[in-house]
């Protein structure tokens, strides 16, 4: 899998996790991203070491990756303010599934670069525009919430190599910090779509449509990345990937019926349990 796609997939998962992370951690969500970035690669190496010994646990990984994909697809509805947003989210899953099966990397890599450029524009906009004095409300997160943020962001580092994890961590932290800078921790923690609300706070209405396109592209490419990871895990579970792909797509659709805040925590929990399990059973 192209490193650019792996990195983009992780960044989009962090974007989906920001409402959960911000509600519990505020500025401490940056520490949560760092914790997830440091811990997740250890579990990935353990998965490789165990081979078929981790066969039963591989189903947890498949469901965890699918839940993360469902959370990302669900964010489309938060950024596309249209009556039929659920259909748009389902369409993102269908496109991602097709791309995962067809593996059109020549097309997706340039699109991934376009999304990264779009996120760079978002960060520069939030940083260069002086924020208004944030509204003072209760909340804003706590240091203990960094652990919840780490769990929510954990799936962002579930695929890709160490270099991709570094890119995901740095870029995801930059996007989160830019939105926090513009909105303040309290308003950030109350937001369901922090990137959109940060643009509103910056009075940059011209970027609304642009940001929606970036999120839709990122979501579709991320579902592609996660389903490619499911196909790779399927080789450990059983010959052929049809049953596991059906299970993954079913999990994706189920996650559209629940808030993305719930889906990212479910995904993080499944992947943490999976990684702990493979660490326990790997050959000594």
């Amino acid at each position: 899998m192209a490193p650019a796609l792996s990195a983009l997939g992780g960044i989009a998962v962090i974007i989906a996790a920001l409402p959960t992370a911000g509600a519990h951690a505020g500025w401490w969500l940056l520490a949560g991203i760092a914790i997830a970035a440091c811990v997740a690669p250890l579990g990935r190496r353990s998965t490789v070491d165990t081979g078929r010994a981790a066969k039963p646990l591989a189903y947890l990984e498949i469901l965890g990756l699918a839940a993360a994909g469902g959370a990302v697809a669900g964010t489309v509805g938060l950024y596309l303010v249209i009556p039929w947003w659920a259909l748009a989210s389902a369409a993102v899953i269908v496109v991602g599934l097709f791309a995962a099966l067809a593996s059109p990397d020549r097309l997706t890599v340039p699109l991934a670069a376009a999304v990264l450029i779009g996120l760079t524009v978002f960060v520069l906009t939030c940083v260069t525009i002086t924020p208004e004095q944030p509204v003072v409300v209760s909340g804003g997160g706590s240091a203990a919430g960094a652990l919840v943020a780490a769990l929510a962001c954990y799936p962002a580092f579930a695929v890709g190599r160490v270099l991709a994890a570094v890119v995901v961590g740095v870029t995801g932290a930059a996007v989160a910090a830019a939105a926090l800078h513009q909105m303040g921790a309290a308003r950030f923690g109350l937001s369901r779509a922090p990137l959109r609300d940060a643009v509103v706070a910056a009075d940059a209405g011209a970027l609304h449509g642009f940001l929606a396109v970036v999120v839709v592209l990122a979501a579709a490419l991320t579902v592609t990345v996660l389903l490619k990871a499911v196909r790779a895990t399927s080789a450990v579970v059983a010959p052929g990937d049809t049953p596991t792909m059906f299970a993954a797509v079913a999990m994706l659709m189920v996650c559209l019926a629940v808030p993305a805040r719930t889906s990212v925590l479910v995904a993080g929990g499944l992947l943490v349990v999976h990684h702990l399990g493979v660490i326990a059973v790997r050959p000594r």
Side-chain angles (χ1 to χ4, degrees), residues 36-63:
C38 292
V39 173
L42 301 177
R44 283 207 311 276
R45 284 199 292 272
S46 299
T47 303
V48 174
D49 293 340
T50 53
R52 291 188 176 274
K55 180 178 177 179
L57 292 169
Y59 287 103
L60 289 177
E61 183 176 22
I62 289 170
L63 294 177

Side-chain angles (χ1 to χ4, degrees), residues 16-275:
L18 286 182
T20 302
H24 289 86
W27 276 97
W28 285 97
L29 74 84
L30 301 179
I33 293 175
I35 293 170
C38 292
V39 173
L42 301 177
R44 283 207 311 276
R45 284 199 292 272
S46 299
T47 303
V48 174
D49 293 340
T50 53
R52 291 188 176 274
K55 180 178 177 179
L57 292 169
Y59 287 103
L60 289 177
E61 183 176 22
I62 289 170
L63 294 177
L65 293 173
V72 171
T75 60
V76 170
L78 301 176
Y79 287 89
L80 287 179
V81 187
I82 52 178
W84 35 275
W85 63 266
L87 291 178
S89 295
V92 165
I93 293 177
V94 172
V95 171
L97 175 62
F98 171 79
L101 295 175
S103 301
D105 287 344
R106 292 184 179 180
L107 176 64
T108 53
V109 170
L111 291 177
V115 171
L116 292 175
I117 292 172
L119 292 176
T120 301
V121 171
F122 167 81
V123 171
L124 292 176
T125 299
C126 290
V127 171
T128 56
I129 295 178
T130 303
E132 296 181 3
Q133 190 69 21
V135 178
V136 179
V137 296
S138 60
S142 64
L147 296 179
V148 178
L151 181 64
C153 295
Y154 193 86
F157 304 94
V159 297
R161 299 179 181 272
V162 174
L163 178 59
V166 172
V167 174
V168 170
V170 172
T171 307
V175 170
L180 280 163
H181 168 74
Q182 189 59 230
M183 298 171 64
R187 291 174 63 189
F188 187 98
L190 296 174
S191 175
R192 297 177 62 209
L195 272 64
R196 182 195 64 198
D197 292 341
V199 167
V200 172
D203 197 21
L207 292 180
H208 287 182
F210 172 78
L211 182 61
V213 171
V214 169
V215 170
V216 170
L217 281 177
L221 293 172
T222 299
V223 172
T224 300
V225 169
L226 295 175
L227 288 179
K228 281 177 177 285
V230 166
R231 292 188 71 187
T233 303
S234 298
V236 178
V237 178
D241 58 11
T242 301
T244 51
M245 290 296 285
F246 275 127
V249 172
M251 186 68 168
L252 282 166
M253 292 301 185
V254 167
C255 287
L256 287 182
V258 300
R261 291 189 177 196
T262 302
S263 297
V264 292
L265 292 177
V266 169
L270 289 171
L271 291 172
V272 167
V273 171
H274 166 261
H275 285 165

